[in-house]
Amino acid sequence: MAKEGDMNLIGQFGVGFYSIYLVADSVTVTTKNNDDDQQVWISQADASFTVSKDPRGNTLGRGTQILMKVKEDATEFLEEDQLRTLIKRYSEFINFPIYLQVTKEEEIEVPDEEAEKEAAEAAEKKEDDEKKDDEEVDVSDVDEDEEKEDKPKTKKVKKTTKEWELVNDTKAIWVRSPGDVEDEEYDNFFKSLTKEFDSPLEKIHFTAEGEIQFRSILFVPKKAPSDLYDKLQTKQNNLRLYVRRVFISDEFDDLMPRYLSFIRGVVDSEDLPLNVSREMLQQSRVLKVIKKKLVSKALDMMKKMSEAEERALEAEDEEDKEAEEAAKAEAEGKAKAEEEEEEEE
């Protein structure tokens, strides 16, 4: 990027592509499509990059390979657990599969050469002894000994293997129709989202259409967080914002007002760019429209909860009234029956 004006290329290579240089000294991108030669893009984050035809020829066949030279102080990002955590946090719900090469240990049985050698020596010694022995031999004993000798000697050893494991196997339930999602799926999703053990008290799953299109699921927990009033000066993290199922952030004060900070859920927008920054979001008109609709849906959900509770109380009062009237009628019937018995006497 020789000219200052070319700096606007940042962000055009993908979701925060240039943030790769926080952990890498240099990056090599090799790519090949069906209609072109294999190309190589190389940069050391020094305001310049090169693109050239790959001198190795067509080694990929088709696709893209990214090779990073990781900084010495960033080797933790090569660890399996760290990679898994990053994928789960930011790319858990994207459509295409992400595989991670994992190392596993398993116990397997292998031939025990030492034991077989010892067994062979013992058998040879036994043969020599049998030749010297003139006594009759039980045939059944011979058969059993031969069966034991025929069975190969094995031992258990630990074997390290490498295999590709699918990491993002969780599906984004908010992209499905609410009628196709079971209550158990909502409960499991809420628990994985909030790390709570209880199921939500209430939920609302909707798609907002119009000038801004987005999908969302909002939950009301059964109990308020213990630190609800201790985070008045910190950013809220009750809602997770996704852009086309790619996680962007959960630190926002602009998606839900403070008095609704107990609401948990996800928002997935189709109208925000993937390379959006927090600063852009704070000034975005899209975010203001999303907030307005989220607040409206959250209040509508709680209004319906209140109405349902009132109906339940009214039904309970009606049942109590009916039970009271039935008890009163029964008491009056008994009293009348007693009076009639007394008159007959």
Side-chain angles (χ1 to χ4, degrees):
M1 290 179 285
K3 297 181 181 179
E4 193 68 25
D6 292 335
M7 291 298 287
N8 62 7
L9 287 173
I10 292 180
Q12 302 306 312
F13 292 96
V15 185
F17 180 80
Y18 273 81
S19 63
I20 200 171
Y21 293 107
L22 295 173
V23 296
D25 288 321
S26 66
V27 178
T28 301
V29 180
T30 307
T31 185
K32 172 72 174 69
N33 65 19
N34 289 332
D35 304 321
D36 199 359
D37 296 324
Q38 187 165 303
Q39 304 289 326
V40 179
W41 181 95
I42 302 175
S43 178
Q44 284 78 33
D46 55 358
S48 65
F49 63 84
T50 61
V51 178
S52 61
K53 183 177 177 180
D54 195 336
R56 299 170 299 175
N58 181 13
T59 59
L60 293 180
R62 184 173 181 270
T64 300
Q65 179 189 71
I66 301 177
L67 181 64
M68 301 163 49
K69 184 181 179 182
V70 177
K71 296 178 180 179
E72 292 183 1
D73 59 350
T75 53
E76 62 179 292
F77 292 100
L78 298 176
E79 296 175 3
E80 181 182 315
D81 291 340
Q82 181 74 342
L83 288 170
R84 187 185 300 275
T85 300
L86 290 172
I87 295 169
K88 284 284 188 182
R89 179 170 173 78
Y90 292 98
S91 303
E92 185 175 14
F93 300 108
I94 59 176
N95 283 338
F96 56 84
I98 298 177
Y99 288 87
L100 177 66
Q101 191 177 55
V102 297
T103 302
K104 293 184 177 181
E105 276 192 355
E106 58 180 348
E107 281 192 349
I108 61 172
E109 287 190 354
V110 297
D112 191 342
E113 295 180 358
E114 293 182 3
E116 287 184 355
K117 185 178 180 181
E118 291 176 359
E121 291 176 355
E124 188 177 344
K125 184 179 179 182
K126 187 177 180 181
E127 275 184 25
D128 294 340
D129 293 340
E130 287 177 351
K131 288 179 181 178
K132 296 176 182 178
D133 193 356
D134 296 328
E135 295 179 3
E136 293 184 356
V137 180
D138 189 349
V139 177
S140 61
D141 291 341
V142 173
D143 292 341
E144 287 180 6
D145 290 342
E146 286 180 354
E147 286 180 5
K148 289 180 181 179
E149 290 173 3
D150 291 342
K151 189 176 180 181
K153 303 290 184 180
T154 60
K155 62 179 180 179
K156 290 185 177 181
V157 297
K158 287 186 177 181
K159 182 182 179 183
T160 301
T161 59
K162 290 186 177 182
E163 61 182 53
W164 292 98
E165 181 180 302
L166 179 64
V167 181
N168 61 330
D169 54 353
T170 306
K171 303 301 179 184
I173 65 172
W174 62 82
V175 301
R176 293 158 58 187
S177 172
D180 297 334
V181 185
E182 302 289 338
D183 287 338
E184 185 179 356
E185 292 180 274
Y186 282 119
D187 292 348
N188 292 336
F189 179 70
F190 171 78
K191 291 174 183 177
S192 67
L193 181 72
T194 62
K195 311 306 180 201
E196 297 278 350
F197 296 103
D198 297 327
S199 299
L201 182 64
E202 190 55 84
K203 64 183 178 297
I204 185 170
H205 181 183
F206 64 95
T207 299
E209 296 179 345
E211 58 176 333
I212 302 298
Q213 182 176 348
F214 67 91
R215 300 173 184 267
S216 177
I217 303 178
L218 302 179
F219 297 98
V220 177
K222 282 187 177 178
K223 57 183 180 181
S226 57
D227 57 352
L228 179 64
Y229 299 106
D230 299 334
K231 295 184 177 181
L232 297 178
Q233 306 301 322
T234 59
K235 287 187 178 293
Q236 301 182 69
N237 61 353
N238 53 324
L239 293 181
R240 293 169 66 92
L241 177 65
Y242 291 81
V243 174
R244 294 188 283 281
R245 291 173 294 283
V246 176
F247 175 65
I248 301 301
S249 180
D250 58 0
E251 296 181 355
F252 287 110
D253 289 324
D254 302 309
L255 280 177
M256 198 70 81
R258 286 280 174 179
Y259 67 86
L260 291 175
S261 60
F262 60 90
I263 298 287
R264 308 300 295 271
V266 295
V267 181
D268 190 356
S269 173
E270 299 284 338
D271 296 311
L272 290 170
L274 279 171
N275 57 354
V276 67
S277 65
R278 289 191 181 93
E279 291 74 19
M280 289 172 61
L281 283 172
Q282 290 171 356
Q283 301 172 0
S284 173
R285 183 185 66 86
V286 173
L287 208 62
K288 294 177 182 177
V289 175
I290 292 176
K291 177 180 178 180
K292 184 178 178 180
K293 292 190 177 182
L294 288 176
V295 172
S296 175
K297 289 290 186 180
L299 295 177
D300 185 50
M301 172 173 55
M302 288 188 288
K303 182 182 178 182
K304 289 180 179 178
M305 290 173 60
S306 177
E307 292 173 350
E309 186 176 0
E310 288 179 2
R311 287 194 297 270
L313 290 173
E314 288 175 0
E316 188 176 343
D317 292 340
E318 190 68 27
E319 288 178 2
D320 291 343
K321 187 177 179 181
E322 289 177 358
E324 186 178 342
E325 290 177 353
K328 185 178 179 181
E330 185 179 354
E332 289 177 352
K334 286 182 178 180
K336 188 176 181 181
E338 290 175 357
E339 288 177 1
E340 290 176 352
E341 288 178 1
E342 290 176 358
E343 288 177 359
E344 289 178 359
E345 291 176 357

